Amino acid sequence: MPRQTKAREVPLAERTLVVDNGASTMKAGFANPSPDQEEDCHIIHNCISRSRDKRVWVGVQLENCKDFGEMAFRRPVEKGYLVNWEAEKEIWDHTFFDKDAKLNCDPHDTNLIFTEAPNAPQALQTNSDQIIFEEFEFASYYRCVGPSLNAYNDIPALFGSQPRLADAPMLPLECLLIIDSGFSHTTVTPLFRGRPIQSAIRRLDVGGKILTNYLKELVSIRHYNMMDETHLMNEVKEAVCFVSKDFNRDLQRTWKGGVGDRRDADSSGEGIVIDYVLPDYNTHRHGFMRPHDPSLSAKLKKLGAAAGANEGIEDFMTLGNERFAVPELLFSPGDVGMKQPGVAEAVIQSMSALPSGLWPAMLANIMVVGGNAKIDGFVERLDRELRPLAPAECIVRVAGATDPIKSTWLGGAKLAGERTILNELLVTRQEYQEHGSGWLTKKFAGGPAR
């Protein structure tokens, strides 16, 4: 007879803290029976930063910062993996353990659901386990691959099907393909009954960080030196960038002509070329986009060069093909010399590692999450590029999450609401002390934990 599972001597805590520990931002909050994204999920800067006046800002403190000029960032997550727990502990101390923190908790009475990137090195996983159980002393803990939590969301509703009933059991979708395009990288993760199929996971080393750095280089060559303005250029990227439906056509529309045939880009690039007004961090903290005005006199007036003007100088830059050339790297990394496939090709490579019987279900349930999913046109372009690559007998359906940034956290919150499933996944601190880190690694990997 199979060995029966030993019943837990210590009951699980009532409160569950869900932490989607991203490289740029950390999505955290306590799970409620009916989680509300706006009230329960908090987006926190996952970094320690230093402003030009040498002041240090830690995590949540950045919400009170008014001047992001020349801000330097130190991030505990590099290339998607948590490598610096010294910095992360300081951020967590301000976020979860300060008396005045919004998410203040007692770890001894709190369960923790903690996400990591797919295929994280085992040494980093063990380090996280030790910090959480031995340093913070959480009551119980579940470490999982971030994309897997999306399987607990209402996926059928994204594709126009009947939403999940309120009293229906919260079971993960049987077959789901998650494309998570975040700050450090883009991953393609096939899920079967909520668990990732490790051999089919594919990674593209293009994420929001590379896109921001590429935009910094383009702007620094064509307009102002922005190499030290990471935060500002990230705001510009989020505000103005879009994925082109026809890259070559839009590139031709924004071409300014040769040496003997100069032309204003707005004459053929109408609707693409815009002006972005830069913030001065005095009258306004954020920049904004407006239609391009090619009139030189209008530019001089806006720059405050008119005699007798009492207004401050308004700095702006004209952006054309930068708007769509930057996110194009997600589909054509070779544009900057990266020898990697684009997102659509990575999906097909992932499919090739799966049994052919799973292809129809996976291709019919493709969900896009992560910050880059908010770039206008990303989901539509991915759908259009996937269709000719997929087998003719397979239906391709691609949908973006309702809120791509909070989607993973929301799935974790819904998982936490299912106490029966949660009890099987969580490991208590007592069990960790009894069995050790090797046993814990096997349990979280889904293998036999004895």
Side-chain angles (χ1 to χ4, degrees), residues 120-367:
Q122 185 175 338
L124 298 181
Q125 294 176 331
T126 301
N127 191 32
S128 296
D129 299 340
Q130 292 173 348
I131 295 292
I132 287 170
F133 271 137
E134 299 176 14
E135 294 279 343
F136 294 126
E137 299 183 351
F138 275 92
S140 57
Y141 159 63
Y142 174 52
R143 169 174 50 76
C144 61
V145 172
S148 65
L149 293 180
N150 290 279
Y152 294 91
N153 286 318
D154 191 0
I155 306 300
L158 290 177
F159 297 101
S161 302
Q162 185 177 359
R164 180 184 289 162
L165 298 177
D167 56 349
M170 193 65 63
L171 298 176
L173 194 68
E174 185 173 45
C175 289
L176 180 64
L177 185 70
I178 296 294
I179 299 175
D180 186 354
S181 186
F183 180 79
S184 300
H185 53 69
T186 299
T187 55
V188 179
T189 308
L191 303 176
F192 184 73
R193 295 179 180 174
R195 287 195 172 273
I197 303 175
Q198 296 291 341
S199 60
I201 294 176
R202 294 296 180 268
R203 170 179 168 130
L204 171 64
D205 293 325
V206 176
K209 180 179 180 179
I210 283 185
L211 301 186
T212 300
N213 289 340
Y214 186 44
L215 182 60
K216 281 197 303 184
E217 293 179 4
L218 293 178
V219 170
S220 297
I221 293 172
R222 302 175 183 180
H223 301 284
Y224 305 103
N225 184 3
M226 292 290 183
M227 296 306 294
D228 295 329
E229 299 289 350
T230 302
H231 184 271
L232 172 58
M233 296 313 298
N234 190 68
E235 283 191 337
V236 174
K237 178 196 70 179
E238 293 176 353
V240 309
C241 283
F242 68 94
V243 176
S244 173
K245 296 179 180 179
D246 188 335
F247 180 77
N248 292 329
R249 180 178 62 87
D250 287 340
L251 195 63
Q252 181 66 27
R253 289 176 61 195
T254 54
W255 185 53
K256 295 183 179 180
V259 176
D261 182 27
R262 299 297 294 174
R263 60 180 180 179
D264 190 272
D266 190 66
S267 61
S268 59
E270 185 177 357
I272 297 179
V273 180
I274 54 95
D275 290 337
Y276 188 87
V277 180
L278 301 171
D280 57 10
Y281 299 114
N282 290 319
T283 57
H284 53 277
R285 293 175 54 187
H286 303 283
F288 59 91
M289 173 177 69
R290 68 184 178 203
H292 175 56
D293 186 354
S295 171
L296 180 60
S297 60
K299 289 183 180 181
L300 292 175
K301 183 177 180 180
K302 290 168 186 168
L303 285 170
N310 294 322
E311 301 178 356
I313 296 178
E314 186 181 71
D315 287 332
F316 70 96
M317 53 189 179
T318 301
L319 299 175
N321 58 26
E322 299 93 341
R323 296 184 63 195
F324 57 87
V326 169
E328 186 67 19
L329 297 185
L330 290 165
F331 298 91
S332 302
D335 290 353
V336 290
M338 297 182 67
K339 296 181 180 179
Q340 292 191 359
V343 180
E345 289 82 1
V347 170
I348 300 303
Q349 287 185 5
S350 175
M351 289 293 97
S352 64
L354 296 175
S356 58
L358 292 179
W359 282 45
M362 289 291 182
L363 291 173
N365 295 286
I366 301 176
M367 182 180 181

